[in-house]
Amino acid sequence: MSGEQRPATVRDAALDVLREYGLTTVFANPGSTEVAFLTDLPGDIDFVLALHEGSVVGMATGWALARRRPALVQLHTTAGLGNAVGALATARANRAPLVVLVGQQDRRHLALEPFLTGRLRGLAGDYPVWTEEPAVPQEVPGAIARAHHEAEQGKGPAIVVVPQGDWAEPAAGDRPRSAAERVVRSAAADPAAVEGLARLLDEATAPALVVGAGADGEEEWAALTALAERLGTPVYQESFGARAGFPQDHPLFAGFLPADRPRLREALSGHDALLAAGAPVFRQYPYFDGPLVEPGTRVAVLTDDPAEAHRSPVELAVLAPLAPAVRLLADRVRPRAAEPAPAPPAPAAEQQVYGPEGLRPAHVLAALAARIDPDTVLVEETPSSRPDLHRLVPARRPMGFLSAAMGGLGFALPAATGLRMAAPDRPVVAVVGDGSSLYQVQALWSAARYGAGVCFLVLSNNRYAIMDRLADARGGKPPWPDFSQVSLSALARGLGCPARTAATAEELDAALDEIVPTLRDRTEPILLDVAVDSNADIAFRP
C-alpha cells in the first residue's frame, strides 16, 4: 500500500465542508468523544479552548455577532451540552448563528447505552433552531452544511450530533445533499408589503418607533435614522434590549422603555401609533395586569424573525429584510416637522462621587464614558447598575452595546472575549458586576491565552445587589450571604489575566487614564476591579 493515497474519511469530508463555509475556528472544551475529530487538526483550522462550556458558547456568540456569520462550537456529549444549555438559550435570544457539533458514544454499541452515551435530542429544549442526528456516518458532512444554513437562516444554534466512531468511517463518494449549495435571499422588500405600515404611520397624529437588537447594523441604523427624521418622531429602545437598534446620541432618541406594563403604558401614552422595528412587542418583566398600551393605540411590527412576527400582539406584522423595508417605508410616509424627543439628559460627570461605603457606580460609569472612543463595544452584565450605564454610556456606533438577551448571568466575560477576537480593530470594554463575573470567570484564562485585549471593568460590591433589592421590595430578609472574601483581581491573576484595583476616584482615574488609550491596540486583557458602595441606591426597577 506504500505510496497509495489514504481513502478519504468522514472527518476529511467534514473538514472540507467547514472550510467551504468559513467555519475554521472551533470553540471547545474537549472530551473523549471529540478526540477523534480534534486530534491533529490541520493548520488552517484554529482551536480556541474555554474552561467551561458556558464560556465556549459565550465566546462563540460574541464571535458570531461581531462577524455577522456563524461560528463553530464543539461540545462533549450530555455533560457538555447540558452545561451549555443556558448559554445556547442566550445565543438564540441574541440571534447568534452557531453550528454546534456535539459528541456522542460510538454508534456501534449505542443500543447498550455504554458510558458517556447521551440522550441528546431535546436536551437543549426548544433553543436550537435545528437538531440532527445523522442516520449513517456518511451523512455527517452534509448535516454540517445544513446546520450552517439553518443557523444563518434561523439566527440561532443548530446542532449536529456526531458519534465518535463516525469520523474515521470512509466518506461517501459525493456529499449527500442535505443542504442547498447556495442560499439567495431577497435583497429588497416588496413595496406592497410596507404600504400598510405607511398608512398606519401617516394616519397617526403622534407616531413613535421602537427599535431593538434586530436593527443593530450599519444599514439598519442608517435606514431607521432616515425614517425617524422624515417622521420627526421619537425612537425608543426596547426594554431589556441586548443590542442597540438606533444611535443613542441622536436628538430623536427617547431612551429605554420600562420593564412593566403600567410604566410602559405611561411612557407610550402620548403616541397613537407605534412601529416596532427589529424588536418584539413588547418584552416585559414581571407580569402586571392590563394591556401593553393604552386603548386606541395602534401597533405594528416589522421584523425578519418569523417567530417574533407571529407572537407579537399587533394590528399588522410585516416579515421582511429590515433595512430595505425601512428604506422603502421612509420613501412612502409623509414628512413631518420634528418634535423634540423626551430624551434623558446628555451624559455628564456624576457630582456625587462617593456613597456611604465607597465609589458610586454611576461615577465609575461616567468616568469611563468620558474616556472611551465612540467606536468602543460595551458588553454589559451589571443588573443593578444597568439604567445608570444606559444613561451615561450611550451606544454611538452599531454593535456599540451588547448584553445577554436571555437574562442569565455568565455572558459578558466570554462574549467580550470572543467579540474582541473576531473584531480586533474595535476597543472592547466589559462592565460586569462581581457576582455576574463569577458565573464564567474561567473565560479570563481564554482571553489571556488568545490575546483578547478586553478591559474587564468589575463593579465590586461584594453581594448580589439586585437580588438584595428584590428581597427588600418584598419586605423579606434574603437568606444568602455576601461574598466579601472573594477577590476578583486575585482570581484574574490566578487565571493569567493581569489585574488592577481601585477604591478611590483618584485610583480609578489613574487606572482608566492608563488603560483606555491602549484598548484599540492591546493584545493582553486587563481586569480592573473597582470597589463600589454596597449600599448605593439600586437604579434597577423590575
Side-chain angles (χ1 to χ4, degrees):
M1 297 292 289
S2 178
E4 292 185 14
Q5 187 174 4
R6 178 180 61 85
T9 63
V10 167
R11 181 176 184 265
D12 295 328
L15 289 170
D16 287 342
V17 171
L18 297 180
R19 296 182 180 103
E20 178 181 349
Y21 290 100
L23 298 168
T24 54
T25 298
V26 54
F27 295 87
N29 181 266
S32 57
T33 53
E34 295 74 57
V35 169
F37 172 71
L38 295 172
T39 301
D40 294 327
L41 282 173
D44 62 336
I45 305 294
D46 295 323
F47 179 90
V48 177
L49 175 65
L51 303 185
H52 184 275
E53 286 81 4
S55 292
V56 169
V57 174
M59 290 171 67
T61 297
W63 173 283
L65 292 174
R67 297 215 167 179
R68 301 178 72 88
R69 58 183 175 83
L72 178 63
V73 171
Q74 174 81 71
L75 299 176
H76 174 52
T77 191
T78 309
L81 181 57
N83 283 344
V85 168
L88 290 170
T90 294
R92 175 70 180 271
N94 274 83
R95 302 180 176 209
L98 305 179
V99 175
V100 183
L101 306 182
V102 180
Q104 172 66 293
Q105 251 288 4
D106 194 301
R107 71 170 67 238
R108 290 170 292 188
H109 64 166
L110 279 178
L112 303 178
E113 294 201 10
F115 181 65
L116 290 181
T117 298
R119 298 183 182 182
L120 302 173
R121 182 175 289 275
L123 181 59
D126 292 332
Y127 295 116
V129 298
W130 185 76
T131 300
E132 180 67 297
E133 296 180 86
V136 296
Q138 289 71 28
E139 291 182 357
V140 168
I144 295 172
R146 170 75 179 273
H148 177 275
H149 291 321
E150 295 288 349
E152 193 170 50
Q153 180 71 31
K155 297 181 175 62
I159 291 177
V160 181
V161 177
V162 186
Q164 64 184 40
D166 285 12
W167 299 113
E169 291 293 312
D174 296 310
R175 189 172 82 216
R177 180 65 62 84
S178 59
E181 291 297 325
R182 190 165 68 100
V183 175
V184 179
R185 298 178 179 86
S186 175
D190 179 0
V194 302
E195 291 298 338
L197 298 177
R199 283 195 302 272
L200 183 146
L201 293 170
D202 282 343
E203 291 169 2
T205 302
L209 303 180
V210 177
V211 298
D216 186 16
E218 295 281 357
E219 291 188 19
E220 290 80 3
W221 276 34
L224 283 165
T225 299
L227 176 61
E229 290 175 350
R230 185 169 176 85
L231 289 170
T233 192
V235 181
Y236 297 90
Q237 174 76 30
E238 64 170 324
S239 57
F240 301 111
R243 294 159 66 182
F246 190 80
Q248 294 173 0
D249 57 349
H250 192 283
L252 290 175
F253 182 64
F256 291 76
L257 289 178
D260 64 73
R261 294 186 181 208
R263 290 187 296 134
L264 180 69
R265 290 194 297 271
E266 180 182 357
L268 298 175
S269 62
H271 305 290
D272 56 351
L274 301 168
L275 172 61
V281 179
F282 293 106
R283 297 189 86 192
Q284 295 284 283
Y285 173 84
Y287 177 76
F288 284 88
D289 286 331
L292 291 167
V293 296
E294 295 289 353
T297 301
R298 303 174 69 186
V299 185
V301 63
L302 171 62
T303 180
D304 59 2
D305 183 343
E308 195 167 80
H310 296 155
R311 70 173 178 263
S312 294
V314 296
E315 175 181 326
L316 174 62
V318 175
L319 185 61
L322 198 68
V326 173
R327 286 195 294 267
L328 285 171
L329 186 57
D331 289 339
R332 280 161 173 73
V333 295
R334 61 180 173 86
R336 308 174 187 229
E339 296 290 337
E350 294 292 297
Q351 298 303 312
Q352 189 176 357
V353 177
Y354 293 101
E357 295 188 10
L359 285 171
R360 294 180 63 84
H363 174 78
V364 178
L365 296 169
L368 175 68
R371 292 168 170 82
I372 57 174
D373 189 293
D375 197 38
T376 300
V377 182
L378 192 144
V379 185
E380 176 272 333
E381 196 166 64
T382 174
S384 59
S385 304
R386 192 178 195 190
D388 280 334
L389 185 147
H390 285 324
R391 177 171 59 89
L392 296 165
V393 198
R396 293 174 282 177
R397 299 286 188 277
M399 203 62 191
F401 174 80
L402 178 63
S403 185
M406 183 54 62
L409 300 180
F411 174 78
L413 269 62
T417 300
L419 196 152
R420 174 68 178 183
M421 291 172 66
D425 58 326
R426 302 254 334 237
V428 179
V429 177
V431 179
V432 190
D434 52 349
S436 301
S437 70
L438 294 172
Y439 282 80
Q440 284 299 332
V441 71
Q442 305 95 329
L444 296 176
W445 180 89
S446 297
R449 173 64 179 79
Y450 297 103
V454 178
C455 174
F456 299 99
L457 176 59
V458 180
L459 302 178
S460 292
N461 56 22
N462 302 316
R463 63 188 181 118
Y464 295 125
I466 188 61
M467 295 302 300
D468 291 349
R469 175 53 56 94
L470 292 173
D472 290 344
R474 296 181 63 87
K477 181 179 179 180
W480 49 84
D482 64 27
F483 41 87
S484 55
Q485 304 87 351
V486 176
S487 168
L488 265 297
S489 57
L491 282 171
R493 294 186 189 104
L495 290 163
C497 176
R500 292 185 59 166
T501 60
T504 67
E506 293 75 20
E507 292 173 349
L508 173 69
D509 288 344
L512 291 176
D513 285 341
E514 180 179 327
I515 293 168
V516 171
T518 71
L519 288 178
R520 189 174 295 276
D521 299 318
R522 71 181 299 130
T523 57
E524 182 180 61
I526 179 76
L527 182 138
L528 177 56
D529 188 1
V530 183
V532 296
D533 181 13
S534 61
N535 291 312
D537 290 338
I538 304 303
F540 176 84
R541 289 181 65 189

